[in-house]
Amino acid sequence: MPVPPTESGSPSWTEADRLAALRSFHVLDTEPEAAFDEITASAAHICNAPMALVSLVDDVRHWFKCEIGVGEREIPRGIGICGHTILQSGVFIVPDTTKDPRFADNPLVTGKPHLRFYAGAPLLTDDGLPLGTLCVLDDKPRPEGLTPEQSTALLDLARAVMAQLKLRQAEKAHEENEARLKRIIDAVPHIVWSALPDGRNDFHNRRWYEFSGLPLGSGLGDNWREALHPEDRDRTWAEWQHSLATGEPSETEYRLRHHSGEYRWALGRAVPLRNEQGDIERWLGTATDIDAAKQTEKALAESEERYRALIQASAAMVWRAAPDGSILEGWGWEDFSAQAPRGMKATAG
């Protein structure tokens, strides 16, 4: 609801709060936009005015998001009539500026564009803070002002301007959140990717390009398969297609080509992100470099194999027991049993 001036005539908001609200919309000094142009043109048409503005009242200037017939993008705040409009709770009308002592000596009246008539509706936030005006102007006086229908339309169109400003504000917040999320994802030491419901990849974080050395966009669509080791492609692709068909999460180990040219083992995971109806909106996945763990696992297996081979080649009997003394496994036991003196029984376990 609009917040009108108090009984003393001063506004019930502070200039600092008003300017902070204006800044929060990130609209000052932006390029013209069709949505604002169309609203301003409608105001000029409905009010039969040759000039119209979406004027935002900054600290030292009036900046025009849209202007028709004025030819300027901003003017000093001290000469702008819109500064009076933001102190009103409704449409502010000046039928003849030359007969109004507040504006008779205004350079916009005495010089170009020779304003004679002004009508403006305040642009109010949900908290009642005025950001500026939607106004129509004429170089001819209008003693009759605006009709009730024109005044109502001007207020409605001012609300439409605010709706567009709020939309821009929401889009800006969304862009900032996306940029913040991207910075976080890029800082993750794992490859992070996302895919559309049909499985086509539409995003890789920075780690993918650092790891692979491939150019930007190289992993989009199904092109990421080219980075897989040839021996892993069919198996990995089949498991991915199974997840797409069933909607089940995926977990697969495969080898990815590193920018050095070698292939490194990675653990790939993918989970579906669903909407409230349960439909998959996209897939979110990661690929974690597990090559060091794989190499350690391989080295341990090779070491154990060598160990077993050495024991089996040894003439000694070797065994491993549990804390209670029971034999868990042994090597050379059969040879010992075969050579033991008659009557000597060897048992294990």
Side-chain angles (χ1 to χ4, degrees):
M1 294 292 292
V3 179
T6 60
E7 293 181 0
S8 63
S10 61
S12 54
W13 40 263
T14 67
E15 179 69 357
D17 287 341
R18 191 192 70 78
L19 288 173
L22 176 59
R23 301 283 191 276
S24 73
F25 284 87
H26 303 283
V27 66
L28 293 173
D29 298 308
T30 58
E31 293 298 317
E33 297 176 56
F36 295 95
D37 294 346
E38 291 170 2
I39 294 172
T40 310
S42 295
H45 176 73
I46 292 171
C47 296
N48 192 28
M51 293 173 278
L53 299 168
V54 171
S55 174
L56 299 172
V57 182
D58 200 3
D59 52 351
V60 296
R61 60 176 177 161
H62 290 203
W63 181 80
F64 308 143
K65 177 59 180 172
C66 178
E67 63 86 14
I68 295 175
V70 176
E72 300 288 344
R73 289 303 302 274
E74 65 178 63
I75 58 174
R77 181 169 176 176
I79 65 173
I81 300 177
C82 296
H84 295 265
T85 306
I86 64 173
L87 300 175
Q88 313 299 318
S89 59
V91 177
F92 177 59
I93 297 177
V94 183
D96 188 343
T97 56
T98 62
K99 296 180 179 180
D100 190 316
R102 293 171 296 181
F103 310 114
D105 295 331
N106 189 300
L108 299 176
V109 175
T110 59
K112 291 183 178 180
H114 301 288
L115 296 183
R116 293 294 182 269
F117 170 78
Y118 173 96
L123 304 175
L124 299 171
T125 68
D126 292 339
D127 296 327
L129 295 169
L131 307 183
T133 73
L134 172 64
C135 61
V136 293
L137 313 101
D138 203 335
D139 56 4
K140 298 179 178 61
R142 293 192 186 184
E144 73 285 357
L146 295 179
T147 68
E149 292 77 15
Q150 288 172 328
S151 293
T152 298
L154 196 61
L155 288 169
D156 289 341
L157 290 171
R159 283 189 283 269
V161 170
M162 282 306 306
Q164 288 298 321
L165 288 174
K166 286 189 283 188
L167 178 61
R168 287 189 86 268
Q169 186 183 48
E171 290 174 346
K172 180 68 175 179
H174 179 70
E175 290 173 1
E176 291 177 348
N177 287 337
E178 290 239 325
R180 188 180 304 111
L181 179 60
K182 185 178 184 300
R183 288 195 297 271
I184 293 172
I185 292 176
D186 279 340
V188 172
H190 309 287
I191 293 171
V192 179
W193 55 269
S194 67
L196 301 174
D198 62 4
R200 289 182 295 114
N201 187 287
D202 65 349
F203 170 78
H204 271 116
N205 72 336
R206 184 172 60 190
R207 176 59 180 155
W208 162 265
Y209 300 104
E210 292 175 347
F211 180 92
S212 67
L214 295 172
L216 188 68
S218 58
L220 301 183
D222 298 332
N223 295 331
W224 57 270
R225 287 192 293 172
E226 298 302 316
L228 291 172
H229 192 288
E231 295 177 2
D232 299 337
R233 286 177 189 168
D234 290 344
R235 171 182 57 81
T236 303
W237 182 250
E239 292 181 7
W240 177 226
Q241 293 303 303
H242 173 77
S243 290
L244 292 177
T246 62
E248 297 174 357
S250 171
E251 183 169 314
T252 313
E253 292 183 359
Y254 45 73
R255 286 164 289 181
L256 282 174
R257 187 171 59 245
H258 188 252
H259 64 77
S260 64
E262 68 176 357
Y263 284 90
R264 297 178 63 89
W265 281 99
L267 173 62
R269 295 188 176 96
V271 294
L273 302 181
R274 300 179 183 273
N275 59 23
E276 294 180 355
Q277 291 71 40
D279 300 322
I280 296 176
E281 291 190 331
R282 67 177 45 249
W283 290 82
L284 181 63
T286 60
T288 304
D289 188 341
I290 59 170
D291 196 71
K294 276 287 189 180
Q295 296 303 329
T296 300
E297 180 183 315
K298 180 181 178 182
L300 287 174
E302 291 174 349
S303 176
E304 183 175 347
E305 186 63 29
R306 288 195 300 270
Y307 175 66
R308 287 179 179 274
L310 287 172
I311 290 176
Q312 290 172 356
S314 173
M317 183 183 73
V318 180
W319 50 271
R320 186 167 63 90
D324 62 2
S326 59
I327 303 299
L328 298 176
E329 59 181 334
W331 297 269
W333 190 266
E334 294 78 3
D335 293 339
F336 174 80
S337 298
Q339 299 173 13
R342 184 182 298 277
M344 183 177 180
K345 185 177 180 181
T347 61

